[in-house]
Amino acid sequence: MERKVGTISRGIRCPIIREGDDLAKIVATSVLEAAEAEGFQLRDRDVVAVTESVVARAQGNYASVDAIAEDIRVKLGGETVGVIFPILSRNRFAICLRGIARGCKKVVLMLSYPSDEVGNELVSLDKLDEAGVNPYSDVLTEEKYRALFGENLHPFTLVDYVKYYGDLIREEGAEAEIIFANNPRVILNYTKNVLHCDIHTRARTHRILLANGGERVCGLDDILNAPVNGSGHNSKYGLLGSNKSTESTIKLFPNECSDLVLDIRQRLLDATGKHIEVMVYGDGAFKDPVGRIWELADPVVSPAYTPGLEGTPNELKLKYLADNDFADLTGEALKQAIEQRIREKGDLAGSMASQGTTPRRLTDLIGSLCDLTSGSGDKGTPIILVQGYFDNYTN
C-alpha cells in the first residue's frame, strides 16, 4: 500500500539526566523502548536528536558566578569594563552579568536599540520615528532614553531590562552606567577594556574594537573557555550558549560531543540494523512573527552530528513542476511525470525548479523542528525522533 504520511517528529521521554550518566545508553534505550511501546518501526535515515541541555548536564559542565568573576578580573583588569550588545534575558545573560559585575569596579553597559541581537525590543521603531532618533548614529544616555521613551516592559516577560540589568550590577557592588548605541566604537570613549556579548556578529565586533584602540577586548566566547578553579568550561564557545542553573551557577554549552553521537548511532545500529543519523541540538533558528524574537541565542543550532546530516536540502518544488513543466498533465500522468523527474533530479543547485525550497543547512532545519517539538518547559522529552525527513514523493 502506498504510504500516506511524510515527516513525523516524536518527543521521546527518558529518565532525568544527572552528571556522570551514560547518556548514549540512555538515549538508545529510550528510543528503542518508545518504538516498542508505541508500535512503530525504526528505519534507515531516521534522525535521533538530543537536546544540548542534557548533554551538558551529563558532562557536569557547570560553573559558578565566582568563576566568571575571576576570569573577568584576570582578562579585563577588574576596573572599568564596557559590556556591550548583550541579549535581554533573565535565563541567558542575567546570571552572566552578575559574574561580570562581581569581577570589576564599574560596568558601562551599552545596549543595542531598538532591540537586541535576537529581537527583544527595548523600544519600537514607531517610537524611534516619533522621537526623531536615528539608532545608527545617535547615542543615548539612560536619562535621555527615559525622557524619550519612559518605561518599556518586555511584551512576554513584563521585565524592564534597563532597570533590571542596572540593579543587578549595583547589587554586585559595581557602579553602573547605561548607554544605548549600535556602533561598537562608542564604548571606547568610556573604556578600552571591553567585553562584547553579541553572538552571531561577534567576529566583526571584535575586529572593529581592536582596530579602533581597544586594549583588552574579549567576547563571551573568551570567558570560561578554560576551567577556572576546577569549573566547567567550553573551549570553543566560553559563555556563549550558557543558561542559568541556580541563582549562583550556570550550565555551559556542552563540550566536544562528536563521540556521543557516534556512540548512539552505533548502539542503534547494533540493536536494529538500521543506519540512523544522530545530532545534538540547541536553539532552533526561527523567528517569532508576533514578538519578532529570533530564537537562536545559542552559537550554533547543532554542536555535533553524524556525517549524514551534513549539507543542505536538494529538493524540487512540486508546485513549480505542476504549474510549469507539466502544466498540460493531470491525474496519474502528472503523478508519474513528477515522480520520474524526482528520480532523475541530480544536483539542483541553481535550478529554477528548486526555487522556493528552504536554502538552509539540514542541521539548522532539523534542529529547529526538534526544538519546537521538545519545547523548553515540562514536556520531559529531551530526545526527538524524526522519521521520514529525507523521504520524497516517490517513497
Side-chain angles (χ1 to χ4, degrees):
M1 181 178 177
E2 182 182 15
R3 281 170 54 188
K4 297 296 184 181
V5 176
T7 301
I8 298 170
S9 178
R10 289 184 172 94
I12 306 297
R13 291 180 177 169
C14 73
I16 302 298
I17 304 300
R18 295 295 190 189
E19 181 177 350
D21 284 349
D22 187 341
L23 188 58
K25 179 180 179 180
I26 291 171
V27 171
T29 299
S30 297
V31 171
L32 294 169
E33 289 178 349
E36 181 179 1
E38 299 296 324
F40 60 83
Q41 299 294 316
L42 296 174
R43 301 196 296 263
D44 287 329
R45 298 226 74 190
D46 285 353
V47 180
V48 170
V50 186
T51 180
E52 59 83 20
S53 178
V54 297
V55 178
R57 194 180 305 155
Q59 291 178 346
N61 203 16
Y62 294 85
S64 68
V65 168
D66 285 335
I68 297 173
E70 178 62 22
D71 218 17
I72 291 291
R73 275 191 290 268
V74 170
K75 292 175 177 173
L76 289 161
E79 297 295 326
T80 298
V81 175
V83 176
I84 72 171
F85 302 157
I87 63 171
L88 308 176
S89 172
R90 295 169 298 175
N91 173 48
R92 288 286 191 173
F93 187 71
I95 188 74
C96 295
L97 182 58
R98 190 173 293 283
I100 294 163
R102 191 174 295 183
C104 57
K105 294 181 179 179
K106 179 178 180 178
V107 172
V108 181
L109 181 65
M110 190 171 95
L111 301 174
S112 55
Y113 76 103
S115 64
D116 69 8
E117 182 182 3
V118 298
N120 294 293
E121 245 183 27
L122 280 172
V123 59
S124 71
L125 285 170
D126 289 337
K127 287 185 177 180
L128 287 185
D129 291 342
E130 291 170 6
V133 171
N134 183 346
Y136 299 104
S137 59
D138 293 348
V139 179
L140 307 179
T141 63
E142 184 176 2
E143 292 72 23
K144 183 67 172 178
Y145 168 83
R146 291 298 189 194
L148 289 171
F149 307 118
E151 180 185 64
N152 290 280
L153 303 182
H154 189 282
F156 296 148
T157 64
L158 301 181
V159 172
D160 179 339
Y161 277 97
V162 177
K163 181 179 187 302
Y164 177 52
Y165 280 179
D167 288 347
L168 190 153
I169 292 166
R170 287 183 283 269
E171 285 172 10
E172 292 300 325
E175 182 184 348
E177 181 175 0
I178 301 176
I179 59 174
F180 303 80
N182 293 303
N183 185 338
R185 298 172 182 84
V186 169
I187 195 64
L188 299 174
N189 297 324
Y190 297 80
T191 177
K192 307 298 183 185
N193 305 316
V194 184
L195 176 68
H196 59 87
C197 304
D198 44 347
I199 305 160
H200 308 290
T201 56
R202 62 187 184 275
R204 175 179 181 268
T205 301
H206 198 87
R207 171 176 55 79
I208 290 172
L209 289 169
L210 288 178
N212 288 273
E215 294 174 359
R216 300 187 189 188
V217 176
C218 294
L220 284 181
D221 51 342
D222 296 310
I223 306 302
L224 290 190
N225 58 0
V228 173
N229 299 324
S231 73
H233 71 290
N234 189 291
S235 56
K236 185 173 184 180
Y237 297 119
L239 287 178
L240 291 175
S242 63
N243 294 86
K244 179 179 179 178
S245 176
T246 70
E247 294 301 322
S248 60
T249 60
I250 60 167
K251 177 195 65 60
L252 292 128
F253 210 51
N255 265 307
E256 176 57 44
C257 42
S258 296
D259 288 347
L260 173 69
V261 298
L262 295 174
D263 190 356
I264 295 169
R265 181 180 69 172
Q266 187 63 49
R267 288 171 185 265
L268 292 171
L269 176 62
D270 292 344
T272 66
K274 303 299 180 182
H275 295 272
I276 294 170
E277 305 294 348
V278 183
M279 65 183 286
V280 175
Y281 70 96
D283 277 346
F286 52 84
K287 187 172 183 176
D288 176 71
V290 176
R292 295 180 291 280
I293 297 169
W294 185 36
E295 176 69 9
L296 187 56
D298 284 327
V300 291
V301 173
S302 178
Y305 50 87
T306 49
L309 296 176
E310 187 62 65
T312 58
N314 186 55
E315 299 174 349
L316 289 163
K317 196 74 169 179
L318 295 190
K319 65 182 181 182
Y320 179 89
L321 295 178
D323 292 345
N324 291 272
D325 295 32
F326 307 124
D328 57 334
L329 300 180
T330 59
E332 186 63 23
L334 175 61
K335 179 176 182 292
Q336 291 181 6
I338 288 179
E339 287 181 349
Q340 185 63 26
R341 181 64 62 83
I342 291 172
R343 293 188 185 99
E344 299 171 347
K345 64 185 178 181
D347 185 357
L348 297 172
S351 169
M352 288 297 289
S354 68
Q355 66 176 334
T357 59
T358 308
R360 291 167 56 190
R361 287 157 45 96
L362 289 167
T363 50
D364 293 343
L365 290 163
I366 298 170
S368 297
L369 172 61
C370 292
D371 189 23
L372 287 167
T373 303
S374 62
S376 57
D378 57 8
K379 295 184 186 300
T381 55
I383 305 164
I384 305 298
L385 173 65
V386 179
Q387 297 189 291
Y389 191 85
F390 295 101
D391 289 356
N392 60 44
Y393 193 55
T394 68
N395 296 113

